[in-house]
């Protein structure tokens, strides 16, 4: 079951400059985090208790975000939806004809993550997130 929109990922060329811009736009401070597993640096803005906006700057030319920036330029990169059982959810999505990038959840910044291919979701890259338990 989808519980909520967890975060919106935006690809940027310069994290420092874009984080400063979004701090003005949103009126809140960014939390900066490295995500070596995804080959990105992230500026995370937590809006209220619900949704985050995450700015993503690639840390190397082999990052999928670097490829995205080169092809499509800055902008909306993905939408992340929170689920409570990622492996089950990925199975359900596949049974519903959605093309998976990940067949099983893998470790990400927010917990276990898995991606659905944009070609099967109207051109939108969708990430499923099963957040890590508090304190765990
Ligand atoms: N949103 C929408 N479309 C996208 C996309 C995105 N984020 N990324 C790629 N595409 C499109 C491309 O434009 C291209 O379309 P065309 O064939 O029409 O030109 C097509 O998908 C294939 O793209 P590609 O550049 O050839 O790239 P790959 O197939 O090598 O990889 C993808 C695309 C989505 C499978 C890969 O980027 C991936 O596995 N992404 C998941 C992991 C990820 O994005 N991590 C980033 C950080 C996430 C985080 O930290 O939360």
């Amino acid at each position: 079951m989808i519980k909520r929109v967890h975060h919106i990922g935006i690809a940027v060329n310069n994290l420092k400059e874009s984080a400063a811009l979004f701090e003005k736009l949103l009126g809140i401070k960014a939390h900066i985090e490295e995500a070596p597993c995804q080959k990105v640096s992230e500026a995370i803005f937590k809006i209220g208790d619900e949704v985050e906006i995450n700015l993503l700057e690639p840390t190397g030319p082999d990052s999928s975000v670097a490829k995205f920036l080169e092809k499509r330029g800055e902008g909306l990169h993905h939408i992340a939806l929170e689920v409570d059982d990622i492996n089950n959810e990925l199975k359900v999505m596949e049974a519903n004809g959605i093309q998976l990038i990940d067949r099983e959840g893998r470790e990400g910044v927010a917990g276990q993550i898995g991606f659905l291919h944009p070609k099967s979701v109207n051109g939108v890259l969708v990430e499923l997130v099963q957040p890590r338990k508090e304190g765990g």
Side-chain angles (χ1 to χ4, degrees):
M1 195 184 93
I2 304 297
K3 296 171 84 178
R4 65 178 177 117
V5 174
H6 183 276
H7 67 263
I8 293 165
I10 297 174
V12 301
N13 288 317
N14 185 316
L15 194 71
K16 205 170 162 213
E17 283 177 17
S18 296
L21 172 69
F22 273 73
E23 283 184 354
K24 284 189 210 138
L25 179 77
L26 301 170
I28 49 178
K29 283 270 170 208
H31 165 70
I32 306 291
E33 197 152 330
E34 298 300 317
C37 49
Q38 296 296 320
K39 298 185 176 138
V40 290
S41 302
E42 300 194 6
I44 301 172
F45 292 89
K46 205 166 165 51
I47 304 169
D49 291 330
E50 288 292 320
V51 182
E52 292 172 2
I53 290 182
N54 295 357
L55 307 181
L56 313 166
E57 181 193 314
T59 51
D62 58 339
S63 159
S64 57
V65 176
K67 201 171 172 189
F68 176 91
L69 283 166
E70 199 181 306
K71 253 190 163 171
R72 302 166 66 119
E74 292 182 304
L76 180 64
H77 181 266
H78 66 271
I79 294 177
L81 304 174
E82 181 175 327
V83 297
D84 44 20
D85 182 346
I86 191 158
N87 290 330
N88 182 54
E89 236 20 88
L90 287 168
K91 278 201 194 89
V92 171
M93 299 283 171
E94 188 172 37
N96 285 331
I98 294 171
Q99 190 187 331
L100 306 182
I101 293 173
D102 300 297
R103 302 191 70 80
E104 288 190 341
R106 55 181 155 126
E107 203 58 34
V109 170
Q112 290 286 305
I113 62 171
F115 287 88
L116 312 180
H117 203 286
K119 291 284 176 203
S120 66
V121 195
N122 288 126
V124 178
L125 176 62
V126 175
E127 177 182 352
L128 302 183
V129 182
Q130 179 185 331
R132 170 171 314 112
K133 300 250 183 301
E134 296 279 325

